[in-house]
Amino acid sequence: MQIIIRADGAGANMLSHLLAKNPNNLYEREEKGAKVRLVYTVCDEQRTEAVLHVSPDPIELVKGSPDSYDITQYINDREFVTSSLFCTYIRPSLGTALNGKPKETFAEWVSHKFALTLSFGPVASNLPEPVVEQLFASLGYEVEQERGEADYPFALKHRSSVRYITLRGRQTLQTALRQLFILMPVLDDYKHYFIGEAEVEKLERYGEGWLEAHPQRELIVKRTLRFADVIERYEANREPAREEQNGAAEPAAEAASLADGAEPAPKVRLNEQRYQAICETVQGLEHKRTVVDFGSGEGKLSARLAELAGVQEVMAVEPSAIARKRAADRFAKLAERGQGVVPKTVTGSLFYYDESLRGKDVIVLCEVIEHIEAHRVERAIATILNEYAPHALIVTTPNREYNQVYEMGEAMRHADHRFEWTRGEFRQACERWRTDGYELELQGVGERHEAYGHPTQMAIFRRREEKKEA
């Protein structure tokens, strides 16, 4: 595995000083079961290229560990791809550049943006090529992905499962290396070590200045930290920084708005807009005493629903034990504050019939159906409308057409999505689901695009009231 770092243009030779490696000498050291070498193929004022190459010893890597008796070590490719293991070799070898601490004479070059070309591989990634491209293109790089042809004696596949990635763009060396330090393991989604507080601190440190505004931030954080409790710690740590950043931005934004004679309008996240739309819909319903929040996760929406006037019971139905635990903690705090209606957690899913959910006034599926195989959604909705028979069913799901606004190509918004429907496909599905006993209304949620509609689409099924006998 290797990474090639090249700078072109005036001052390119300063790259060697930022890397703190003499271009006339071979850098070589043993590092955690691998031989690490850095060599310059060229170094002058107009072009400098450094190659960091790692040759792992798979036997040394597992010697003395419980994994040494695992036969799968003989076919393990993780030691040979640019994953989290490779990053552990980058940190000691390129630590001076990562931390931006060269000799004082060259300190001014830390903030200099070079014309960089970064090539690394092999990369084993389960992410589609458009997603990989967006991860780096959003940071200002031109992205090239190269795969070899796979020649099998039987019909398996024609392209190799690994690829080599080349990035080109203007960036400081420190920022470029920090971005790679975070994104290389994101590509492979593999961690060879325990994920805990140290990983949170690493993400905060090396993601500073670029991660918060990245359109794929959610994917990066999820694939870096993986576990819900670790992700929650990271988000909790980031909240004060966001508040401080928002507070600092308010005076300038307000001044600009007042100069135009308009009131400043804060940016509202799409998730918040979904919650608002659902709560406003529930609030406007005639029957809303009992509400079921299917796929409630950590209970954020359930907590909001419990605050609505006229709601007397909220059941937060969730299959994940970890999510239910976090929801229970959230609801306990509501009880401590004396909130009148406190949601209750319920173990369950769309695929297991629960007699206790029959006859409730409202059932909500907020961003749930796209996490299920499309052919199974039909049966789940049929169970809700025919068996549970609520007065109203509210369903939200992404609008695939709007992904063009995010410049996502054919990629889906979340790695766990099984499908994403266009507005036409969602309308057709809702028409199939609707029974004679329900009326259907379709709405959009979020900022509307003239060509692609809203980012979220929402369906509201309202039960037709039976005519009173004459």
Side-chain angles (χ1 to χ4, degrees):
M1 45 185 152
Q2 66 180 29
I3 178 172
I4 303 173
I5 306 168
R6 193 181 84 199
D8 290 283
N13 59 321
M14 290 297 113
L15 197 72
S16 65
H17 297 290
L18 296 178
L19 292 172
K21 301 292 183 293
N22 190 326
N24 298 313
N25 299 330
L26 169 66
Y27 170 86
E28 184 175 80
R29 64 187 292 177
E30 297 289 337
E31 182 71 37
K32 298 178 181 177
K35 188 176 290 293
V36 182
R37 300 180 180 91
L38 187 144
V39 64
Y40 291 84
T41 58
V42 61
C43 184
D44 58 43
E45 291 186 359
Q46 291 298 316
R47 172 172 288 187
T48 296
E49 182 177 89
V51 180
L52 179 71
H53 186 274
V54 178
S55 302
D57 184 337
I59 296 177
E60 287 295 325
L61 285 171
V62 298
K63 187 179 291 184
S65 74
D67 293 334
S68 60
Y69 297 101
D70 185 354
I71 194 171
T72 60
Q73 292 300 325
Y74 288 96
I75 56 172
N76 184 13
D77 68 340
R78 299 303 88 183
E79 290 89 350
F80 299 94
V81 298
T82 52
S83 62
S84 61
L85 187 62
F86 183 59
C87 289
T88 64
Y89 304 130
I90 291 180
R91 177 177 265 172
S93 304
L94 306 181
T96 301
L98 266 172
N99 297 323
K101 298 283 181 69
K103 290 182 179 178
E104 189 174 345
T105 310
F106 309 106
E108 63 182 281
W109 288 91
V110 172
S111 58
H112 178 77
K113 290 189 175 182
F114 295 91
L116 291 177
T117 301
L118 307 165
S119 302
F120 58 93
V123 175
S125 180
N126 60 0
L127 292 176
E129 289 190 356
V131 176
V132 174
E133 181 169 359
Q134 190 190 32
L135 282 172
F136 295 103
S138 301
L139 300 172
Y141 296 106
E142 294 180 10
V143 185
E144 179 182 329
Q145 301 179 61
E146 180 183 356
R147 295 200 197 195
E149 294 296 320
D151 186 17
Y152 294 96
F154 50 90
L156 182 62
K157 55 186 176 181
H158 299 294
R159 303 184 72 192
S160 172
S161 60
V162 301
R163 66 195 83 172
Y164 286 84
I165 297 175
T166 300
L167 312 175
R168 297 181 180 88
R170 296 197 68 86
Q171 188 54 274
T172 68
L173 177 63
Q174 181 186 23
T175 299
L177 290 178
R178 288 186 167 202
Q179 290 167 344
L180 290 181
F181 197 75
I182 296 297
L183 294 179
M184 279 180 178
V186 168
L187 295 175
D188 194 30
D189 195 23
Y190 165 76
K191 293 290 191 303
H192 71 287
Y193 50 77
F194 174 76
I195 299 175
E197 197 63 37
E199 197 73 354
V200 171
E201 294 173 359
K202 186 178 79 175
L203 193 59
E204 291 173 345
R205 180 180 180 183
Y206 295 118
E208 184 178 1
W210 63 271
L211 177 56
E212 197 63 33
H214 199 292
Q216 292 280 40
R217 176 186 178 278
E218 183 180 350
L219 174 68
I220 294 169
V221 171
K222 181 176 181 179
R223 287 173 72 100
T224 299
L225 302 181
R226 190 168 302 173
F227 302 112
D229 58 333
V230 184
I231 293 174
E232 187 173 78
R233 287 205 297 275
Y234 170 76
E235 297 293 2
N237 291 350
R238 295 300 303 154
E239 198 60 39
R242 289 195 194 102
E243 291 176 358
E244 183 178 345
Q245 184 181 37
N246 292 339
E250 281 174 6
E254 185 175 354
S257 298
L258 292 176
D260 294 335
E263 291 293 326
K267 184 74 173 178
V268 180
R269 296 183 63 185
L270 179 57
N271 198 48
E272 173 63 23
Q273 294 180 64
R274 277 195 292 264
Y275 288 175
Q276 289 178 0
I278 291 171
C279 288
E280 288 172 4
T281 300
V282 172
Q283 189 67 79
L285 295 173
E286 180 181 355
H287 302 281
K288 53 179 176 288
R289 187 178 63 84
T290 56
V291 181
V292 177
D293 182 10
F294 256 117
S296 57
E298 298 180 4
K300 294 180 182 179
L301 176 59
S302 297
R304 297 275 289 272
L305 292 167
E307 296 175 351
L308 299 179
V311 173
Q312 299 179 20
E313 178 188 44
V314 176
M315 302 175 72
V317 182
E318 170 61 40
S320 167
I322 295 176
R324 288 199 309 275
K325 173 64 170 60
R326 298 201 174 282
D329 292 342
R330 186 187 304 276
F331 301 156
K333 292 177 183 177
L334 298 180
E336 291 173 2
R337 292 201 296 264
Q339 180 167 309
V341 178
V342 177
K344 64 178 181 179
T345 60
V346 177
T347 303
S349 80
L350 287 171
F351 306 117
Y352 298 99
Y353 180 74
D354 186 342
E355 181 72 23
S356 68
L357 303 182
R358 289 193 63 180
K360 302 301 180 182
D361 291 322
V362 184
I363 290 180
V364 178
L365 300 177
C366 177
E367 306 299 286
V368 171
I369 62 171
E370 62 273 10
H371 295 270
I372 305 167
E373 297 296 342
H375 68 275
R376 303 185 71 189
V377 176
E378 198 99 11
R379 187 191 310 171
I381 299 296
T383 299
I384 291 175
L385 296 180
N386 296 322
E387 301 297 330
Y388 294 147
H391 281 280
L393 167 64
I394 302 171
V395 182
T396 72
T397 192
N399 168 20
R400 190 179 77 199
E401 297 167 77
Y402 201 89
N403 292 357
Q404 297 299 320
V405 179
Y406 299 139
E407 298 181 352
M408 294 179 63
E410 296 300 316
M412 290 195 242
R413 296 188 202 174
H414 194 284
D416 189 49
H417 285 185
R418 303 299 194 268
F419 66 87
E420 288 177 359
W421 281 331
T422 65
R423 287 169 291 176
E425 289 169 335
F426 185 54
R427 176 181 291 277
Q428 290 174 6
C430 290
E431 291 289 355
R432 288 197 309 271
W433 300 339
R434 186 181 64 83
T435 65
D436 291 339
Y438 286 88
E439 297 175 342
L440 171 64
E441 178 185 352
L442 294 173
Q443 297 181 6
V445 179
E447 185 175 353
R448 183 182 180 278
H449 187 277
E450 185 175 350
Y452 303 121
H454 299 82
T456 293
Q457 40 195 343
M458 181 166 72
I460 307 164
F461 298 83
R462 292 185 177 89
R463 197 166 73 195
R464 302 179 193 272
E465 296 299 326
E466 295 179 359
K467 294 181 180 180
K468 295 182 179 179
E469 294 183 3

